Amino acid sequence: MKHGLLTITESDLLAAEEWLGNQVDVVTTTYSQNLFHDGIDGITWDEANRLDVMERLFGNSSRQLAIAYEFGGPNRNEYGRAASGEFDADYRNFAQQLVDRGMGDSIIRMSHEFNLSWNSKYPSDPQNYADGFARCVDVMQSVSGANFDFCFSPARNRLGVAPDAWPVDSAQWPSGEPAPIITPSLYDSEGGTYPDDISGLSDSELEQLWQDAWVVILDKIQMWENFGAERGANRFGTAEWGVATNAYPNPSGGDNPYFVEKLLDYGISQGWELQAYWNTASASGGSHQIHPDSTALTDASNMYQSIVSQQLTNTSTDDTSSDTTDDTSTSTYGGYNTPQAGSNDWHIPLNENFESIEADIQDLADRINNLEQT
């Protein structure tokens, strides 16, 4: 399994690799909808000379960049236009620029977390999503030197429109192209398991909740693994996952090394393709960050370091560069999921929002259906 995490500056990446004792395999980042027509300029990287830096870090090394790419156009959800070919030139330009920078092996997370009805990326016509996804893959892979890998990246908590949006079933899926990697977002946040505030719990009570929450998340992981198996897609992983501090607005397990250990051990044992931890300092009032500032998630950080440092297979780096610039990561990550004015909550994991509400709605619908039948 490839191992990595999210980071958006050279100095942060090199510091994380020093922390882990090896070069990471993969680094996740986002793509700004405001720069859809600008190709590689839309990739979030927080440095003035970022294109040269990315070329050095990913074009001239074995590292891969995993990019959350909004193939649905500037508004993120124009999948009919994508399916009809209106964005072909943008896909081709993006792919060509990546290839020219030596990044033709990048991992493309296609319109991730699309399967939630409150998400702006939700496809009103899932067939258009499937056709647009397939067309984007076909166009990008047609560029000479391209060898991209693509991810089918739902939110974790329910299938939603995913079966109807599966791109391999599209007539536009390129012949011979392997099925995409299925990479749901996975967070230690279970409203049905954790209370809103865990600060008053004893250690034994918290540890029991950790175990209970893992049973729930494992069931969801296996739901998606079964989804892939039913479609002949045998590649799985996650490019966005993490624990969260108690300040996170959705109920979470806090500094939970158990979640980190169980997820990594499971992924390794199952032969997942990749894992990349969502290492953000600020998320909706809480934090997922395990490096460099892990003061609120120390045990989870130590667990990640212990397991991943042993798993990384690269024992040396091709990079001889050093960056002494004092880089400060932006909370808006290149304008992706830009918050409202005055807010630092740049990223609200859409797989977490409204999960408990959705369960209540489904329960009510089931009750009504049972009454109608009787």
Side-chain angles (χ1 to χ4, degrees), residues 29-217:
T29 189
T30 56
Y31 189 90
S32 173
Q33 70 180 88
N34 301 318
L35 296 174
F36 176 75
H37 298 297
D38 296 332
I40 195 172
D41 285 316
I43 297 176
T44 302
W45 200 262
D46 194 26
E47 289 163 313
N49 59 334
R50 59 200 179 92
L51 299 186
D52 293 335
V53 172
M54 283 192 291
E55 181 175 359
R56 179 167 63 251
L57 294 176
F58 306 107
N60 296 323
S61 80
S62 61
R63 299 184 194 91
Q64 289 178 284
L65 188 64
I67 310 156
Y69 183 61
E70 310 296 351
F71 74 91
N75 295 321
R76 296 187 177 181
N77 61 359
E78 298 178 278
Y79 301 121
R81 296 179 65 190
S84 67
E86 290 188 49
F87 300 138
D88 283 5
D90 294 293
Y91 303 152
R92 190 172 293 108
N93 178 50
F94 184 50
Q96 186 65 64
Q97 290 184 44
L98 286 169
V99 169
D100 290 346
R101 294 278 179 176
M103 298 166 62
D105 65 344
S106 294
I107 300 168
I108 316 297
R109 298 177 63 210
M110 300 284 274
S111 194
H112 70 299
E113 296 183 339
F114 67 91
N115 61 318
L116 300 179
S117 57
W118 56 84
N119 190 336
S120 64
K121 293 175 285 188
Y122 183 82
S124 57
D125 183 342
Q127 186 61 54
N128 278 337
Y129 181 93
D131 291 340
F133 189 128
R135 188 175 189 111
C136 180
V137 170
D138 191 28
V139 171
M140 290 184 67
Q141 294 290 58
S142 71
V143 172
S144 179
N147 186 29
F148 302 111
D149 223 337
F150 296 88
C151 297
F152 186 75
S153 298
R156 72 165 196 238
N157 52 331
R158 67 187 183 97
L159 290 175
V161 297
D164 297 321
W166 181 240
V168 184
D169 292 339
S170 169
Q172 300 199 50
W173 187 258
S175 176
E177 179 73 21
I181 310 168
I182 298 176
T183 56
S185 304
L186 304 170
Y187 286 94
D188 178 38
S189 180
E190 293 296 336
T193 302
Y194 293 122
D196 291 337
D197 184 3
I198 60 172
S199 60
L201 299 176
S202 67
D203 289 346
S204 60
E205 289 173 329
L206 187 55
E207 288 171 4
Q208 183 61 56
L209 287 178
W210 288 346
Q211 294 174 34
D212 295 342
W214 173 250
V215 172
V216 176
I217 191 64

Side-chain angles (χ1 to χ4, degrees), residues 194-200 244-255 285-287 296-297:
Y194 293 122
D196 291 337
D197 184 3
I198 60 172
S199 60
T245 61
N246 194 36
Y248 193 60
N250 299 301
S252 64
D255 188 7
S287 177
L297 298 170

